[in-house]
Amino acid sequence: MIRLKNELENVKTVAVAGHIRPDGDCTGSCLAVYSYLQENFPEISVDVYLEAVNPNFLFLKGADQVKTSCVEDKKYDLFISLDASDKERLGEAVKYLETAEKTLCIDHHITNTGFAGENWIDAQASSTSELAYQMMEEERISRETAEALYMGIVHDTGVFQYTNTTEKTMQIAGKLMAKGIDFSRIIEDTFYRKTYVQNQVLGRALMESILLLDGKIIVGRIRQKDMDFYGVGPADLDGIVSQLRVTAGVEVAIFLYETGTQEYKASLRSNGIVDVSSVCAYFGGGGHVKAAGCTMHGSLYDVVNNLTLHIEQQLKEDKEE
Ligand SMILES: [Mn+2]
């Protein structure tokens, strides 16, 4: 366990960074640590690096101060990595990790091997935001910091639904509610709200999805030309794989979107039997047992074939047990 107050001795400059394509938990934990340090340690200069901020998250304190470019050559006393499962996932900000005096890695991805000087990796934690909360002193958490932490927990637990939600998760969420946050609005505006085109793309992916292995695997995909047609980016595709997963009879949902010629970003979700983090790790990706991702090369046929082979293998082993 890492406590922020114990890490700040002789620290005058801090860089906080999350993973590329930051999600709710990544953005929430980074902005929470950022505002907590600013509010409680005004003598320390803090920068927060994120590739981009989802427009729905802009209400969070400090979201307008996020540095999206890493062109400046700065050497920090302390670098804090949040929710990044490996160094490469830090994107350009990795250069600050490499030059910093001291480095911390706080994460809950099972595939994280611990790339910093000090690592706190708890795969049982619902979210990095849940860990970030524990790094702080309860009485020093402001309403604004609480909003960011709560949003992070909400996103990684699917609004307290996924099995990573624990009694502790709910206790922490309760403490954050007590800070006076508008929790209903946070859930509605950042988790459920979709734009018209996001819903259209979701519909398109569902309509064109296919079932494999007697309906145990569902595959949905969006081509680059579809994304161009609807005018959407990768961030608009969040939630599609979750919707595929709830299809009755399905064990694993695969969602693919084209990122280049013969290149696909794959998101996998499991309903329990299959460990998709090991499937994705085999292809150089990672994540959690029930939610993982990787980048795949080859034709759509090859990509689907390669992924389903590994899934089929695990389903077979489960049957034999
Ligand atoms: Mn997370």
Side-chain angles (χ1 to χ4, degrees), residues 21 54 195 197-198 201 222-224 226-240 255 257-259:
R21 280 201 71 214
N54 181 317
T195 63
V197 283
Q198 284 167 354
V201 172
I222 290 289
R223 286 164 292 207
Q224 187 58 53
D226 303 324
M227 290 170 73
D228 294 342
F229 177 79
Y230 292 102
V232 296
D236 296 301
L237 309 176
D238 287 349
I240 293 179
F255 175 65
Y257 71 85
E258 220 176 344
T259 48

Side-chain angles (χ1 to χ4, degrees), residues 31 53-64 151 190:
L31 289 177
V53 180
N54 181 317
N56 295 337
F57 306 162
L58 286 173
F59 75 99
L60 292 174
K61 188 185 172 190
D64 55 340
M151 188 189 85
T190 73

Side-chain angles (χ1 to χ4, degrees), residues 56-72:
N56 295 337
F57 306 162
L58 286 173
F59 75 99
L60 292 174
K61 188 185 172 190
D64 55 340
Q65 288 152 48
V66 166
K67 290 183 186 288
T68 51
S69 131
C70 303
V71 283
E72 241 184 301

Side-chain angles (χ1 to χ4, degrees), residues 54-261:
N54 181 317
N56 295 337
F57 306 162
L58 286 173
F59 75 99
L60 292 174
K61 188 185 172 190
D64 55 340
Q65 288 152 48
V66 166
K67 290 183 186 288
T68 51
S69 131
C70 303
V71 283
E72 241 184 301
D73 281 320
K74 280 177 105 173
K75 195 175 174 303
Y76 291 93
D77 295 335
L78 176 63
F79 181 96
I80 306 175
S81 168
L82 293 157
D83 206 40
S85 54
D86 60 55
K87 249 161 95 152
E88 287 66 43
R89 293 270 293 156
L90 285 168
E92 278 185 71
V94 72
K95 72 182 214 190
Y96 301 125
L97 170 98
E98 268 147 13
T99 54
E101 203 62 46
K102 204 164 100 170
T103 57
L104 302 180
C105 166
I106 293 99
D107 189 29
H108 68 128
H109 292 91
I110 197 164
T111 45
N112 194 326
T113 50
F115 53 83
E118 242 186 284
N119 302 280
W120 184 22
I121 293 132
D122 181 356
Q124 303 302 315
S126 71
S127 52
T128 298
S129 298
E130 188 177 316
L131 299 175
Y133 169 88
Q134 295 171 75
M135 293 205 297
M136 302 171 181
E137 286 168 280
E138 153 73 30
E139 63 282 3
R140 297 175 94 171
I141 297 176
S142 66
R143 183 173 58 82
E144 287 81 3
T145 300
E147 285 179 335
L149 291 171
Y150 188 87
M151 188 189 85
I153 295 172
V154 159
H155 280 245
D156 263 22
T157 58
V159 195
F160 310 107
Q161 186 207 331
Y162 306 150
T163 49
N164 61 2
T165 311
T166 63
E167 188 180 343
K168 193 176 189 179
T169 311
M170 301 309 277
Q171 279 161 350
I172 291 172
K175 294 278 188 196
L176 296 172
M177 283 168 83
K179 298 282 179 183
I181 61 171
D182 190 345
F183 52 89
S184 306
R185 204 202 65 179
I186 293 173
I187 294 170
E188 180 67 26
D189 290 359
T190 73
F191 191 83
Y192 290 113
R193 174 94 54 236
K194 280 189 188 293
T195 63
Y196 179 61
V197 283
Q198 284 167 354
N199 263 337
Q200 282 191 304
V201 172
L202 166 68
R204 180 81 184 252
L206 298 179
M207 207 165 65
E208 294 178 353
S209 65
I210 54 163
L211 291 171
L212 300 169
L213 277 186
D214 300 324
K216 288 194 168 55
I217 298 175
I218 190 166
V219 183
R221 63 97 184 251
I222 290 289
R223 286 164 292 207
Q224 187 58 53
K225 67 173 188 186
D226 303 324
M227 290 170 73
D228 294 342
F229 177 79
Y230 292 102
V232 296
D236 296 301
L237 309 176
D238 287 349
I240 293 179
V241 70
S242 308
Q243 192 58 47
L244 290 166
R245 182 189 65 84
V246 297
T247 310
V250 159
E251 279 302 333
V252 176
I254 301 172
F255 175 65
L256 304 162
Y257 71 85
E258 220 176 344
T259 48
T261 316

